[in-house]
């Protein structure tokens, strides 16, 4: 019995040591103070904020900010509780975080809080309650209000858009999305919000749908499907081009690096620079800097393997188109 216990102990040490060496070799620990996945980000005063997420075999409550000019990470306080799949947005003076899950894999935060970070004090406070528990959603800020898009509540896919008036502290339901979904990505350009991909019970784990929401008019518009369906990916809009990159194909058991670009004038797809490392569940800056946009963290392995493959890496991704997609050649 003692020999068995000793052998088991050394086997565990061997696995831990091997995992540590793998992470060093792959560069997964580089960048952030704590590697993390299943995260969102927002920018305020040229600082990219990331809060919570799945760390190495645990859920995180920490917040980190990357100075996009100096390329230096710093701490930005702690969330009131550890959460993953937290959506984030910022107005002109504060950073906001909403929803998420309190434990692995997906135990909803029944307290359903909306939190606000004050950069002057480095503290997070709860400022409101969400209409209901929600996770795997997205959030943006526009004209004095926060918008929560899609997600899941108790395993049910949501098509909801909730608008939170910050000054009045009131919630209102907006025109629902054409398709309920979670694990999608969003990008905003002025009053236009783009929602891409995701997962749903109806459409599976690699949705290809792309929709645009007119924030002022409260209406939806369908756009051409993306060439490759995905969830847990990133989206950014620059000029007249919508960029979709990275993510996860659960049916194939793969993490993606590819980068598709939709010309919003011609509605044709092209191919851009891929991520330098396939990943999903990463965070994307909502501010464009010289050279491109910043992509941080994420999981380097799909599904449950995320818990040991979380990364702290940061990459500047070029958002210039490279070549037409195969389906567009000859058109």
């Amino acid at each position: 019995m003692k020999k068995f216990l000793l052998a088991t102990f050394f086997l565990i040490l061997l696995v831990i040591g091997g995992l540590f060496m793998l992470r060093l070799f792959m560069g997964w620990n580089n960048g952030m103070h704590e590697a993390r996945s299943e995260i969102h980000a927002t920018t305020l005063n040229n600082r990219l904020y990331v809060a919570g997420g799945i760390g190495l075999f645990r859920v995180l409550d920490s917040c980190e900010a990357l100075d996009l000019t100096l390329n230096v990470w710093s701490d930005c306080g702690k969330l009131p509780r550890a959460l993953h799949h937290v959506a984030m947005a910022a107005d002109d003076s504060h950073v906001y975080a909403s929803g998420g899950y309190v434990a692995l894999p997906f135990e909803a935060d029944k307290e359903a809080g909306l939190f606000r970070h004050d950069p002057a004090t480095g503290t997070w406070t709860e400022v409101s309650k969400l209409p209901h528990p929600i996770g795997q959603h997205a959030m943006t800020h526009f004209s004095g209000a926060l918008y929560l898009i899609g997600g899941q509540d108790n395993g049910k896919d949501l098509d909801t858009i909730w608008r939170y008036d910050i000054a009045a502290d009131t919630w209102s339901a907006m025109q629902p999305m054409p398709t309920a979904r979670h694990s999608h990505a969003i990008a905003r350009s002025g009053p236009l919000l783009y929602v891409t991909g995701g997962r749903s019970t109806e459409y599976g784990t690699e949705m290809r749908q792309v929709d645009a929401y007119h924030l002022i008019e409260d209406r939806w518009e369908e756009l051409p499907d993306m060439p490759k369906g995905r969830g847990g990916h990133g989206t950014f809009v620059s000029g007249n081009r919508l960029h979709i990159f990275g993510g996860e194909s659960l049916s194939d058991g793969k993490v993606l690096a590819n980068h598709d670009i939709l010309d919003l004038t011609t509605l044709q797809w092209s191919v851009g620079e891929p991520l330098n490392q396939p990943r999903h569940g990463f965070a994307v800056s909502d501010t464009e800097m010289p050279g491109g946009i910043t992509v941080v963290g994420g999981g380097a392995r799909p599904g449950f393997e995320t818990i040991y493959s979380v990364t702290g890496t940061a990459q500047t991704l070029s958002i210039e188109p490279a070549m037409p997609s195969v389906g567009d050649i000859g058109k």
Side-chain angles (χ1 to χ4, degrees):
M1 183 66 178
K2 288 184 178 180
K3 290 183 178 180
F4 173 77
L5 292 176
L6 189 62
T8 302
F9 174 74
F10 280 111
L11 179 61
I12 292 173
L13 287 181
L14 183 64
V15 170
I16 293 174
L19 177 60
F20 178 76
M21 295 303 296
L22 172 65
R23 293 185 59 79
L24 287 179
F25 176 77
M26 298 299 292
W28 291 346
N29 291 336
N30 298 341
M32 283 187 278
H33 298 162
E34 289 189 291
R36 65 188 76 204
S37 184
E38 315 312 332
I39 52 178
H40 290 265
T42 190
T43 50
L44 175 63
N45 297 327
N46 280 337
R47 298 183 78 206
L48 180 150
Y49 289 81
V50 179
I54 295 177
L56 192 59
F57 297 104
R58 66 194 189 282
V59 182
L60 303 176
D61 62 359
S62 59
C63 172
E64 297 187 50
L66 173 64
D67 188 310
L68 295 172
T69 303
L70 301 177
N71 195 33
V72 175
W73 287 96
S74 60
D75 293 331
C76 45
K78 291 182 179 294
L79 292 170
R81 48 189 169 272
L83 294 164
H84 62 93
H85 286 89
V86 180
M88 301 188 70
D91 58 16
D92 293 334
S93 56
H94 295 91
V95 172
Y96 297 86
S98 68
Y101 303 96
V102 295
L104 299 173
F106 296 102
E107 182 183 334
D109 177 21
K110 299 187 187 308
E111 296 298 319
L114 174 67
F115 307 116
R116 181 169 64 198
H117 174 72
D118 184 350
T121 62
T123 57
W124 289 88
T125 55
E126 184 174 308
V127 294
S128 185
K129 293 291 186 183
L130 308 184
H132 52 77
I134 185 172
Q136 302 183 88
H137 59 302
M139 182 167 68
T140 192
H141 172 269
F142 177 73
S143 189
L146 298 172
Y147 291 80
L148 275 63
I149 302 101
Q152 279 195 333
D153 177 12
N154 195 30
K156 178 185 176 183
D157 300 322
L158 301 175
D159 61 2
T160 52
I161 304 293
W162 288 103
R163 181 183 185 274
Y164 175 69
D165 186 307
I166 296 173
D169 185 24
T170 56
W171 293 91
S172 54
M174 309 304 287
Q175 184 68 27
M177 286 191 291
T179 306
R181 64 180 91 187
H182 67 277
S183 301
H184 49 289
I186 65 167
R188 186 179 62 80
S189 178
L192 272 176
L193 177 71
Y194 298 92
V195 183
T196 67
R199 305 181 183 121
S200 75
T201 301
E202 182 178 1
Y203 291 99
T205 59
E206 292 90 40
M207 290 178 62
R208 299 175 59 201
Q209 286 89 336
V210 179
D211 298 299
Y213 177 60
H214 298 254
L215 288 156
I216 296 175
E217 302 170 15
D218 188 26
R219 68 177 179 87
W220 287 90
E221 174 186 355
E222 294 185 16
L223 297 176
D225 288 352
M226 66 177 77
K228 172 68 176 177
R230 66 191 79 195
H233 55 292
T235 298
F236 191 88
V237 61
S238 176
N240 69 334
R241 291 189 293 270
L242 177 66
H243 301 258
I244 300 168
F245 43 88
E248 190 177 30
S249 173
L250 289 178
S251 63
D252 295 331
K254 292 181 179 179
V255 180
L256 308 175
N258 60 312
H259 176 183
D260 296 317
I261 304 169
L262 176 64
D263 187 304
L264 296 169
T265 302
T266 65
L267 298 182
Q268 298 297 310
W269 290 94
S270 61
V271 176
E273 174 192 345
L275 296 174
N276 57 15
Q277 180 185 79
R279 60 177 117 172
H280 71 99
F282 50 85
V284 182
S285 169
D286 49 14
T287 298
E288 186 174 349
M289 300 293 286
I293 57 169
T294 303
V295 179
V296 300
R301 299 290 301 163
F304 186 73
E305 295 178 72
T306 300
I307 62 174
Y308 75 81
S309 67
V310 293
T311 73
T313 57
Q315 175 192 353
T316 299
L317 178 68
S318 171
I319 53 175
E320 292 299 319
M323 63 187 73
S325 292
V326 173
D328 292 333
I329 295 175
K331 289 187 178 180

